Amino acid sequence: MLRWLILLSSAVVLAFNLRNDTPYTLTIPASFGHRYTIPADNPMTVEGVALGRFLFYDSLLSKNNTISCSSCHQQNRAFTDGFALSIGVNGRTTARNSMSLANLLWVRHFFWDGHSPTLEDQALIPMAHPDELGLAPEKAARKLQQTAFYPPKFKRAFGTDSITPLLMAKALAQFERTLISAQAPYDQYLRHQYTLTAAEKRGMDLFMRTSNVAKGIRGANCAHCHGGAQFFQNVFHNNGLDASPLDPGRQEVTGFDADFARFRVPTLRNIAVTGPYMHDGRFRTLEEVIDHYSEHMASSRTLSTDLKGPMHLTSSEKKDLIAFLHTLTDTEFLQNPAFSNPFLTQ
Amino acid sequence: MKKLLSLFGFLVWSWNVSAQVVLKVTGEVNTPLQLQASDLKALPHTEVRTVDKDQKEHHYSAIPLIELLKKAGVTVGGQLRGENLVKYALVRAADGYEVLFALPELDPEFSTRTIVLADAVDGTPLPAGLGPYRIVVPGEKKPARWIREVREIEIRFAK
């Protein structure tokens, strides 16, 4: 009887070890809060995150093995690529600018127009798109299945070595949820470990405040849309880029005329390294962005109510704002070995 | 023939526009609502006079939120007791902005003020960017919950 019990418990231990689904513990910055959802059918595990990281950096996921997710989402640029529009597997450009992948755990609608509700849903879309990775996820799964490298990794992460697009998406989503950026000088300032320079402090005040002429308060009120610890709100706005916008943006998703030319408000964390800016990458520098909000707002029927009327910031106010925006650059995030290319560190 | 086709296209387009669901009431409700503009127009309206952000008094024509809750079969009135007291309405705007009201805030058996869904101000429909539907919270000092472009009211249990 005892022998049977020992045998049984060894089998249980062996089965557990084969799967190795060690829970992955995320460190959530207290100021970010816990308003996020990790799907019940995709709990994060050390093995799942590790697999997702390999997939993120693997050009096998593209049609001609030339590019990977990391081509347009480079860590040292806070997972953007430095181009106005990215270049896909066929040499053609994408329709919109590559978005930063920081703090996606708190994003509720993915892509510039918010057409994906989860990271799992999002992950396979650029894979299949002819102007991005250009490979049907089913074909990508078959390519991975034929390697000696991936089937054991899927077995450890998900208990099966039968690779499917769904499991690929789950692994990618798990890795992307680990990309948390909360160690910038601004965060250190909040913890009383960094003293803002005078310009950074003036810039922060402008960023956070609403203008109040009666009280003599100057404010750019950037925080209205880019506020909160993550420096974005989960909202969509037409920020006055064109009097006759060409890209319908959010309207294509909802069908509402009121959503015409509205786009997701992106995070400003690491904004100094994620240019060019806007959904079409039209602005090369932060100076151009601030000039736009200050003086060049184009009126159209869906222009955000909060952006009507020019701000007319002075040149020193613009410099102060940019100084503050630089305090959001999180060097630790940009260099964190856990987010880097695992094929280079194996 | 071409003219006929364009006429047909126009009719389909106008049917789509008029049949568009403009407000949903979802979540912990007996009857989820998918309301079109005509449905909302037909609901009982009230008049609310309140001071707006411009410090001037304005005259809103509006549907008391309690009417929408009753229509959807939300636990209000005599049913707003026990665990139902930890239910709340999450109001969501077109741009994704969200605000929250605890159910007792919306129930006239609890609250002396009437929180409403306005569709006109000073006799004219709410303009684009504010309307077509906006929550008005009479007497609230900060207008952050006067949520504009309301598209959905979701009733939830606090967990």
Side-chain angles (χ1 to χ4, degrees):
Chain A
M1 181 64 185
L2 183 66
R3 191 182 291 173
W4 280 110
L5 264 178
I6 292 171
L7 263 177
L8 182 67
S9 43
S10 312
V12 168
V13 169
L14 185 68
F16 181 78
N17 280 342
L18 271 180
R19 183 146 177 205
N20 271 342
D21 46 0
T22 324
Y24 184 99
T25 308
L26 283 168
T27 305
I28 304 296
S31 60
F32 281 30
H34 292 78
R35 196 179 185 214
Y36 58 79
T37 305
I38 294 174
D41 64 354
N42 192 22
M44 293 180 65
T45 63
V46 170
E47 294 76 16
V49 169
L51 171 60
R53 185 175 161 209
F54 278 114
L55 295 175
F56 186 85
Y57 282 96
D58 201 330
S59 54
L60 271 182
L61 299 190
S62 66
K63 184 180 173 186
N64 56 8
N65 304 328
T66 53
I67 59 174
S68 66
C69 307
S70 69
S71 305
C72 303
H73 299 286
Q74 301 162 13
Q75 184 184 6
N76 63 344
R77 298 176 187 274
F79 296 98
T80 60
D81 63 1
F83 294 113
L85 302 173
S86 306
I87 299 159
V89 74
N90 288 326
R92 289 192 300 261
T93 51
T94 52
R96 296 179 186 141
N97 180 256
S98 165
M99 300 194 85
S100 172
L101 305 186
N103 304 324
L104 299 180
L105 193 58
W106 291 271
V107 173
R108 301 165 79 83
H109 310 277
F110 298 90
F111 294 109
W112 279 104
D113 58 9
H115 70 268
S116 271
T118 63
L119 276 171
E120 283 78 0
D121 180 73
Q122 183 278 335
L124 302 180
I125 294 173
M127 201 180 298
H129 198 289
D131 295 333
E132 297 188 54
L133 298 180
L135 183 64
E138 296 74 17
K139 287 185 183 170
R142 282 202 291 277
K143 272 168 86 176
L144 299 183
Q145 192 75 60
Q146 286 158 8
T147 65
F149 183 76
Y150 278 109
K153 290 200 174 330
F154 276 84
K155 179 84 177 171
R156 281 197 291 277
F158 298 112
T160 172
D161 56 10
S162 179
I163 300 173
T164 62
L166 179 64
L167 293 181
M168 290 158 58
K170 284 184 171 183
L172 281 163
Q174 286 192 39
F175 170 62
E176 289 178 294
R177 290 195 173 101
T178 67
L179 304 176
I180 295 175
S181 175
Q183 298 297 334
Y186 173 74
D187 301 290
Q188 293 160 15
Y189 157 76
L190 293 180
R191 294 195 298 265
H192 308 291
Q193 292 164 343
Y194 174 78
T195 307
L196 295 174
T197 66
E200 289 166 354
K201 172 75 171 62
R202 287 193 302 268
M204 181 179 73
D205 290 342
L206 270 171
F207 185 94
M208 301 292 180
R209 284 179 183 162
T210 312
S211 216
N212 188 325
V213 180
K215 292 182 182 168
I217 295 171
R218 293 280 292 164
N221 200 19
C222 313
H224 187 78
C225 291
H226 295 284
Q230 294 98 328
F231 284 86
F232 69 87
Q233 304 282 313
N234 279 292
V235 294
F236 297 84
H237 281 276
N238 172 348
N239 63 345
L241 294 173
D242 297 298
S244 302
L246 296 175
D247 188 335
R250 182 80 175 145
Q251 187 190 31
E252 282 190 322
V253 179
T254 67
F256 281 96
D257 179 62
D259 292 337
F260 178 70
R262 280 180 169 168
F263 294 92
R264 202 175 103 202
V265 170
T267 181
L268 297 191
R269 283 192 171 269
N270 304 297
I271 195 69
V273 300
T274 62
Y277 305 102
M278 304 297 156
H279 67 274
D280 54 7
R282 68 176 61 193
F283 297 136
R284 283 181 307 106
T285 63
L286 286 175
E287 284 78 3
E288 288 175 38
V289 174
I290 305 278
D291 283 348
H292 165 72
Y293 284 109
S294 179
E295 285 103 41
H296 304 306
M297 199 60 56
S299 188
S300 64
R301 71 180 191 280
T302 57
L303 173 63
S304 170
T305 308
D306 303 310
L307 291 171
K308 286 177 181 162
M311 283 188 249
H312 293 308
L313 299 167
T314 66
S315 65
S316 65
E317 283 175 331
K318 291 177 183 176
K319 283 181 187 150
D320 292 343
L321 265 179
I322 289 169
F324 172 64
L325 292 175
H326 276 267
T327 71
L328 304 177
T329 304
D330 179 353
T331 312
E332 193 177 310
F333 176 76
L334 304 179
Q335 296 173 355
N336 188 338
F339 306 151
S340 66
N341 186 343
F343 293 108
L344 301 179
T345 53
Q346 263 197 317
Chain B
M1 182 64 185
K2 206 180 264 181
K3 272 187 181 168
L4 257 180
L5 274 176
S6 341
L7 179 67
F8 178 72
F10 174 76
L11 285 175
V12 168
W13 175 81
S14 33
W15 182 81
N16 268 335
V17 167
S18 61
Q20 195 168 39
V21 171
V22 293
L23 182 78
K24 292 182 193 171
V25 183
T26 60
E28 302 278 354
V29 298
N30 283 337
T31 315
L33 303 179
Q34 303 247 340
L35 302 171
Q36 297 173 15
S38 54
D39 300 324
L40 285 155
K41 204 172 176 185
L43 280 171
H45 279 58
T46 188
E47 305 294 319
V48 174
R49 281 184 185 279
T50 185
V51 175
D52 210 339
K53 209 175 182 179
D54 59 8
Q55 305 303 319
K56 291 177 189 156
E57 191 179 79
H58 292 282
H59 187 192
Y60 286 94
S61 171
I63 303 157
L65 279 183
I66 189 70
E67 296 296 337
L68 284 165
L69 301 189
K70 281 181 187 165
K71 193 174 167 67
V74 178
T75 51
V76 289
Q79 291 178 295
L80 194 41
R81 56 197 296 187
E83 69 170 6
N84 288 336
L85 285 166
V86 296
K87 279 183 189 161
Y88 58 92
L90 193 65
V91 185
R92 196 168 290 124
D95 69 356
Y97 185 65
E98 293 169 315
V99 297
L100 178 156
F101 297 93
L103 284 193
E105 287 189 271
L106 308 175
D107 190 330
E109 292 191 20
F110 282 80
S111 178
T112 51
R113 70 178 176 185
T114 307
I115 299 174
V116 297
L117 185 72
D119 53 13
V121 61
D122 302 328
T124 53
L126 291 175
L130 298 183
Y133 306 104
R134 182 188 194 182
I135 296 281
V136 172
V137 191
E140 189 138 285
K141 283 160 68 182
K142 211 169 179 176
R145 294 201 296 178
W146 290 40
I147 177 171
R148 307 179 284 219
E149 297 183 281
V150 174
R151 290 243 177 106
E152 187 175 1
I153 299 171
E154 187 183 353
I155 309 299
R156 288 188 183 176
F157 257 124
K159 285 181 180 169

